[in-house]
Amino acid sequence: EYGERPLVVLMDSDPYSTGRVASLPEDQAYKMAKGLEARAADPTQALIRRKVLSEALEGMSEASVLEVGCGTGPVCRALAEFPCVQRVVGTDPSAKLLEAARELAPGLEFLECYGSSVPLPDGSFDLVVLWTVLTHVPEQGHLACLAEAKRLIRPGGRVVLFDNDVISWSVGLQRDDLLQGVLDRLIDMLINDRYLTRKFPSLLAEAGFHGARLQIHPELDDSQESYGYQLVVNRAPQILSTAGRISPEEVEALQAEAQRRLEAKTFQCFLAYGCAIACNPE
């Protein structure tokens, strides 16, 4: 057998968590897929993705790459565009998200499985990518996921951790800011550890990887078309209202205030992402 029994821990309210994403109703899975693709299509997100993956793949040729927790596959598709990449495999516990991934990239491989138990042989890959994955895994599951990644990476290969550095996120203009309050409620609902990305170097060292250092990639959004605006004004209310954590009146007030700030040119959403690339020692 390859790997260990999957570590499935139900997190209270995060629809992206390991235990919930695999069993989402079809309508919720559709909304999630739409949100994942909208984020991936954002120009700033695409630039950050290209920069991180270019650094991770530096010096490689005919590389085999695995993405754990691929969702609808935007990172897999980005990886496949690099000339140095020969094979791309994506895994996810959600059959519904993988159905969308296969439709969007019929030439790539996708497997339905958990990140702590991938049914592939040791040393199958030159690079393993975990892109906004660990933030939805309970703390006690982090080392299990990294141990499985290490098993799958050949000696000298690399791992990439990339996630939301939510401790940096800000959309407020004052104390008790309405928009900041909604963003904070979303973070509280979806994020297990606000400081997760700051722990990447120590986590990777504990898992036996070498050379990790933290990089922060910032994004400042101030337009209606931006990912930050859509996150605060559309996605956050949608997720919070589905969970019964925000009223229709609050959604209306939020959207009105966001529109007022757009017109006054005071809407500013600062987002940041943490990344660490490390080597599996020879």
Side-chain angles (χ1 to χ4, degrees):
E1 291 185 9
Y2 304 122
E4 303 292 334
R5 182 175 60 85
L7 178 75
V8 183
V9 181
L10 287 175
M11 293 173 67
D12 179 45
S13 54
D14 178 8
Y16 296 88
S17 69
T18 305
R20 297 189 65 191
V21 72
S23 57
L24 282 177
E26 189 167 350
D27 61 332
Q28 290 187 35
Y30 173 78
K31 290 177 182 177
M32 182 179 289
K34 192 174 179 181
L36 291 171
E37 286 299 312
R39 179 181 68 179
D42 179 76
T44 305
Q45 294 279 322
L47 286 173
I48 294 173
R49 188 165 58 242
R50 184 79 185 179
K51 180 178 180 180
V52 170
L53 297 180
S54 294
E55 182 177 346
L57 290 164
E58 185 177 357
M60 293 187 183
S61 62
E62 299 183 346
S64 292
V65 185
L66 170 71
E67 187 196 0
V68 174
C70 67
T72 55
V75 175
C76 286
R77 299 196 300 273
L79 285 162
E81 294 176 357
F82 285 87
C84 65
V85 173
Q86 183 178 65
R87 180 193 183 198
V88 177
V89 180
T91 72
D92 202 275
S94 169
K96 295 181 178 69
L97 293 182
L98 288 179
E99 182 179 344
R102 292 185 180 103
E103 289 178 1
L104 290 165
L108 303 184
E109 299 175 54
F110 295 100
L111 298 174
E112 183 182 344
C113 63
Y114 292 96
S116 55
S117 183
V118 179
L120 293 170
D122 296 2
S124 294
F125 298 97
D126 301 286
L127 176 68
V128 172
V129 178
L130 290 89
W131 198 276
T132 60
V133 169
L134 286 187
T135 195
H136 303 297
V137 174
E139 183 178 354
Q140 62 267 37
H142 292 167
L143 287 177
C145 287
L146 292 178
E148 182 69 342
K150 193 173 190 300
R151 180 186 72 80
L152 292 162
I153 300 170
R154 65 166 179 81
R158 298 176 191 137
V159 63
V160 176
L161 301 185
F162 182 96
D163 232 306
N164 306 301
D165 186 55
V166 295
I167 197 63
S168 302
W169 287 15
S170 173
V171 72
L173 296 176
Q174 58 193 4
R175 289 183 180 273
D176 301 319
D177 189 274
L178 174 63
L179 271 61
Q180 185 66 44
V182 170
L183 183 59
D184 286 341
R185 284 157 75 180
L186 180 71
I187 291 170
D188 288 341
M189 177 178 170
L190 297 184
I191 304 300
N192 195 39
D193 180 358
R194 286 176 178 245
Y195 295 90
L196 172 64
T197 61
R198 309 301 176 93
K199 301 172 183 175
F200 278 174
S202 60
L203 267 174
L204 287 164
E206 187 175 356
F209 292 97
H210 290 182
R213 66 182 183 85
L214 180 66
Q215 302 176 37
I216 298 295
H217 299 271
E219 174 177 359
L220 181 61
D221 293 338
D222 59 5
S223 71
Q224 190 167 5
E225 297 76 25
S226 67
Y227 172 65
Y229 185 89
Q230 297 302 319
L231 173 68
V232 174
V233 181
N234 293 326
R235 187 167 172 232
Q238 180 187 84
I239 293 173
L240 291 169
S241 61
T242 298
R245 299 193 176 197
I246 191 171
S247 69
E249 292 77 19
E250 288 177 297
V251 173
E252 186 177 341
L254 165 72
Q255 294 174 339
E257 175 61 13
Q259 185 60 40
R260 186 194 68 77
R261 292 189 193 183
L262 275 180
E263 294 170 358
K265 299 191 182 302
T266 58
F267 179 86
Q268 298 163 352
C269 182
F270 179 82
L271 305 174
Y273 305 91
C275 171
I277 301 171
C279 179
N280 187 21
E282 301 283 353

